[in-house]
Amino acid sequence: QVQLVESGGGLVQAGGSLRLSCAASGRTFGTYGMGWFRQAPGKEREFVVAISRSGGYTYYADSVKGRFTISRDNAKNTVYLQMNSLKPEDTAVYYCAANHYYSGEDNYIASDKYSYWGQGTQVTVSS
């Protein structure tokens, strides 16, 4: 089992940047695929971006391509989400999650493929 703790959220103006971090407990972080999801008020949770165990595969939602970058440091048990050119529509609670899959877009974009979730961190982008 793995526990996930997100950090780095906050309030930023449109066009600004934030970097989210997700720290994982345990010694098996490298065996988990990692994803970021977000949920805005009144909306369903949606996929944002994901990265495979070794970092060799990444998957991005169309809405964030070219603006967000996911990376991971298995030595530090941490996954990062660099968010640039933020827009008001990026406002949401951002959750990191872990799954057991090696690769495959279908295994990474669906929230029901993830077994572990963090508590979330709020990102607010003002116009």
Side-chain angles (χ1 to χ4, degrees):
Q1 195 169 6
V2 62
Q3 292 184 326
L4 306 172
V5 179
E6 302 97 335
S7 62
L11 173 65
V12 63
Q13 288 188 331
S17 298
L18 282 174
R19 188 175 83 153
L20 306 184
S21 299
C22 174
S25 64
R27 299 182 179 182
T28 59
F29 179 69
T31 67
Y32 294 97
M34 300 297 296
W36 287 94
F37 290 75
R38 66 187 182 187
Q39 188 167 19
K43 295 187 177 181
E44 293 187 354
R45 189 173 297 187
E46 66 174 359
F47 169 76
V48 178
V49 61
I51 189 167
S52 61
R53 298 172 177 177
S54 65
Y57 299 95
T58 56
Y59 310 93
Y60 289 85
D62 288 342
S63 59
V64 306
K65 280 181 182 177
R67 300 189 299 121
F68 291 11
T69 303
I70 189 171
S71 61
R72 65 187 297 161
D73 185 338
N74 286 349
K76 295 183 177 180
N77 282 15
T78 302
V79 62
Y80 304 98
L81 178 58
Q82 178 66 44
M83 304 186 295
N84 299 329
S85 302
L86 282 161
K87 305 175 181 180
E89 51 263 44
D90 294 318
T91 295
V93 177
Y94 283 71
Y95 300 89
C96 73
N99 72 26
H100 293 284
Y101 296 96
Y102 177 74
S103 64
E105 186 172 25
D106 289 348
N107 293 326
Y108 277 80
I109 66 174
S111 61
D112 61 0
K113 297 293 188 179
Y114 290 81
S115 301
Y116 308 103
W117 292 82
Q119 294 299 307
T121 185
Q122 176 71 47
V123 171
T124 303
V125 184
S126 63
S127 58

